[in-house]
């Protein structure tokens, strides 16, 4: 099964479950001894990418959407938040249009 690294770290570290490989392009820094699927199964370019989204009901007023967007961008811009996310195996990708949270790869 494919699961985000941050949800599997406790069981992987406790040895109650063994990660066979990660489905990212490169090895995950939190699981450096776990090979990628490209390495372990010989499938070049194999990658599973996860997306996280924040949704609001249809017809939510534009002002509310703008306020939520501003607050979320501010929170994701905090260095302390980046450190917490990195500790969970998540990496924030930023562009001029948006910020998106990206998993460093599911296990």
């Amino acid at each position: 099964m494919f699961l985000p690294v941050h949800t599997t770290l406790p069981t992987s570290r406790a040895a109650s479950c063994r990660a066979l490989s990660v489905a990212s392009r490169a090895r995950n820094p939190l699981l450096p001894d776990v090979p990628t699927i490209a390495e372990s199964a010989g499938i070049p370019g194999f990658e599973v990418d996860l997306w996280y989204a924040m949704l609001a009901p249809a017809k939510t007023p534009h002002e509310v959407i703008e306020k939520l967007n501003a607050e979320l961008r501010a929170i994701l811009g905090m260095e302390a938040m980046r450190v917490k996310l990195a500790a969970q195996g998540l990496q924030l990708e930023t562009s001029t249009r948006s910020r998106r949270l990206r998993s460093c790869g599911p296990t």
Side-chain angles (χ1 to χ4, degrees), residues 21-26 35-47:
S21 57
V22 293
S24 51
R25 288 185 198 158
T36 66
I37 287 179
E39 292 173 306
S40 63
I43 305 171
F46 187 93
E47 179 181 24

Side-chain angles (χ1 to χ4, degrees), residues 9-84:
L9 280 175
T11 53
S12 294
R13 288 182 175 157
S16 57
C17 182
R18 183 170 61 107
L20 300 176
S21 57
V22 293
S24 51
R25 288 185 198 158
R27 289 187 182 211
N28 189 292
L30 298 176
L31 299 168
D33 296 331
V34 178
T36 66
I37 287 179
E39 292 173 306
S40 63
I43 305 171
F46 187 93
E47 179 181 24
V48 174
D49 201 8
L50 299 174
W51 286 68
Y52 296 90
M54 180 178 242
L55 307 173
K59 299 184 183 179
T60 299
H62 182 70
E63 300 77 34
V64 173
I65 299 295
E66 290 299 316
K67 175 70 173 165
L68 287 171
N69 185 43
E71 293 297 325
L72 186 58
R73 284 166 130 332
I75 292 166
L76 293 175
M78 295 176 181
E79 183 60 27
M81 181 56 77
R82 288 178 177 271
V83 169
K84 280 188 177 228

